[in-house]
Amino acid sequence: MQRSGGSISGKLFVVATPIGNLGDLSPRSLDTLKTVAAICAEDTRHTRQLLAHFGVEKPLVALHEHNEGDAAAPLVARLLAGESLALVSDAGTPLVSDPGFRLVRAAREAGIVVSPVPGASALIAALSVAGLPSDRFIFEGFLPAKSKARRERLVQLASEPRTLIFYESSHRIEEALDDAVAAFGAERRAVIARELTKLFETVLDGSLAELAQRVRADPNQRKGEFVLLVQGAGEDADAKVVEGRRLYAKLSEHLPPSTAAKLAAELSGAPRKALYGSD
């Protein structure tokens, strides 16, 4: 606890929970969930099942993207009154593509101590087993749902030298891979980590074109939750090819692939064969 406005305030704990295997809940996380006054949860039904597994009974407060703006103020009031609270998401580390940012910011602005209780994170778990450069990486969260916006975002990232990490859903993974092939090129190395720590955990690696084909050919590889990792362009990436692929991706939205590749090659100076066939 800390002094805030002359009174003793509680503490907000940001608690990581398992992404699949319940054995990954840390002893400290469990102790924290047992001792706080209440738990703020993205989905109270999901969190209630987790708590029941460990024999924990605590009041739950719904905190999700639709109510977080309104819920933050009364929760901060409880913290200022001396209660300590825990914040959890459905799985993994809160605020990483999950709600919680508004509450954490409001709590900090009110002078409340916000303390992390670290644990599972799907993006870090995937990076640790991917075999891609891990000294520098960029996390992009979920790509846009609509194909045009998704392609535009990927094209913007085509020259990024750091390893790229995305979350993707089962009903969009096939399209996302096809769009990644168009934006990055068929031969860019990538990894798909699916259902990490769960019964059907799978980690596939290869070129983007190879991964797209494997996912297309096997319905089982289109089920579950995905982390997609793509090797960065590298510091020595051919700038002409990167620019050519950016132009090709834009032009191919309106022109036949062969025509788009011809124009993109002329405008960028990149070899046409490096562009055509990457769609």
Side-chain angles (χ1 to χ4, degrees):
M1 293 185 179
Q2 73 172 53
R3 293 279 177 182
S4 178
S7 62
I8 301 295
S9 64
K11 185 181 290 188
L12 176 62
F13 295 95
V14 181
V15 182
T17 56
I19 59 176
N21 192 316
L22 296 181
D24 291 336
L25 186 70
S26 73
R28 182 176 170 224
S29 294
L30 183 56
D31 288 343
T32 302
L33 296 175
K34 287 179 178 179
T35 57
V36 293
I39 299 169
C40 306
E42 181 182 4
D43 184 332
T44 55
R45 295 167 300 179
H46 181 92
T47 300
R48 188 170 287 112
Q49 292 177 350
L50 174 69
L51 297 177
H53 177 83
F54 290 99
V56 178
E57 293 186 10
K58 285 290 174 179
L60 296 175
V61 179
L63 186 80
H64 46 73
E65 59 179 332
H66 303 296
N67 78 340
E68 187 179 355
D70 295 328
L75 289 170
V76 168
R78 293 180 65 172
L79 289 160
L80 289 172
E83 290 186 305
S84 286
L85 304 174
L87 170 65
V88 301
S89 62
D90 286 352
T93 300
L95 279 76
V96 182
S97 286
D98 283 324
F101 159 72
R102 291 179 179 86
L103 174 59
V104 168
R105 182 171 64 179
R108 293 187 62 82
E109 289 176 347
I112 294 163
V113 172
V114 182
S115 180
V117 185
S121 172
L123 75 96
I124 298 300
L127 183 64
S128 72
V129 298
L132 295 177
S134 57
D135 54 334
R136 299 174 66 225
F137 61 90
I138 179 170
F139 175 58
E140 284 289 313
F142 284 94
L143 286 164
K146 294 185 178 180
S147 182
K148 181 180 179 181
R150 184 168 57 242
R151 282 199 174 206
E152 289 177 351
R153 185 66 188 127
L154 289 170
V155 166
Q156 291 172 354
L157 295 166
S159 59
E160 170 58 57
R162 295 167 290 183
T163 295
L164 294 152
I165 306 177
F166 308 92
Y167 285 166
E168 195 49 88
S169 64
S170 58
H171 58 280
R172 286 199 299 266
I173 184 62
E174 193 171 358
E175 293 179 358
L177 283 168
D178 289 339
D179 289 341
V181 169
F184 301 138
E187 298 306 313
R188 183 80 72 93
R189 186 174 178 81
V191 171
I192 297 173
R194 183 179 73 92
E195 292 290 271
L196 289 174
T197 79
K198 301 176 185 177
L199 180 62
F200 297 106
E201 174 183 281
T202 307
V203 179
L204 304 177
D205 65 351
S207 70
L208 278 168
E210 291 169 344
L211 292 178
Q213 193 281 326
R214 292 177 73 175
V215 168
R216 188 176 296 110
D218 185 355
N220 289 323
Q221 297 304 322
R222 299 195 296 271
K223 298 177 181 178
E225 298 177 329
F226 296 82
V227 184
L228 170 62
L229 305 96
V230 181
Q231 184 164 310
E235 299 292 350
D236 59 347
D238 188 332
K240 291 182 179 180
V241 173
V242 170
E243 176 63 8
R245 285 177 177 154
R246 186 188 72 80
L247 291 170
Y248 172 70
K250 295 294 292 182
L251 292 169
S252 62
E253 295 176 3
H254 309 285
L255 299 170
S258 58
T259 304
K262 181 175 183 296
L263 288 173
E266 290 176 357
L267 292 169
S268 66
R272 182 173 178 274
K273 66 179 181 180
L275 309 180
Y276 188 50
S278 64
D279 186 30

